[in-house]
Amino acid sequence: MKAKKAMKPNHQKSCECVKTHHHFDDLPNSALVRITDLVCNPKNKYEVAPLPISAATLWRKVANGSFPLPIKFGARIACWKVGVIRAWLEEQAKSNKESMK
């Protein structure tokens, strides 16, 4: 009897299953998000992002200390905890409100 050849999974289909679109507000504080989940996508101007800035601006803010440092999982993998981002957003809103007084 001939052994069946193992079929490779269709990469595109497996990625579709894994990549789910989420709403930032629905994520728990312990969830990790990547930069693509936080900033605007220049190719899709109508996509809503929690931060209305570009990836380059976000990295400038990280470098100058005005945005929280990411958790690094490798040379090219950086994530932030959703709770840290929410706290930063609240801090920004509070400081903006105080400067308006």
Side-chain angles (χ1 to χ4, degrees):
M1 193 147 122
K2 210 174 193 183
K4 286 188 177 182
K5 187 177 179 181
M7 294 182 67
K8 290 182 181 178
N10 183 339
H11 182 69
Q12 186 177 9
K13 283 187 178 180
S14 64
C15 288
E16 288 173 7
C17 295
V18 173
K19 183 155 177 110
T20 58
H21 296 287
H22 59 60
H23 194 270
F24 186 79
D25 293 337
D26 296 335
L27 295 173
N29 283 338
S30 61
L32 294 172
V33 291
R34 306 240 353 233
I35 194 165
T36 55
D37 300 317
L38 294 175
V39 298
C40 299
N41 178 357
K43 293 181 180 179
N44 186 357
K45 296 177 182 178
Y46 301 105
E47 185 177 313
V48 177
L51 304 175
I53 58 177
S54 69
T57 299
L58 179 67
W59 285 119
R60 275 194 297 276
K61 288 180 170 295
V62 168
N64 71 23
S66 63
F67 193 80
L69 290 171
I71 300 167
K72 298 289 277 186
F73 288 102
R76 297 177 53 99
I77 303 171
C79 298
W80 288 264
K81 281 198 171 192
V82 170
V84 171
I85 303 302
R86 286 183 179 138
W88 182 83
L89 287 168
E90 287 175 19
E91 182 181 310
Q92 300 306 303
K94 189 183 293 183
S95 67
N96 188 32
K97 197 177 206 182
E98 289 173 4
S99 68
M100 295 276 226
K101 289 182 179 179

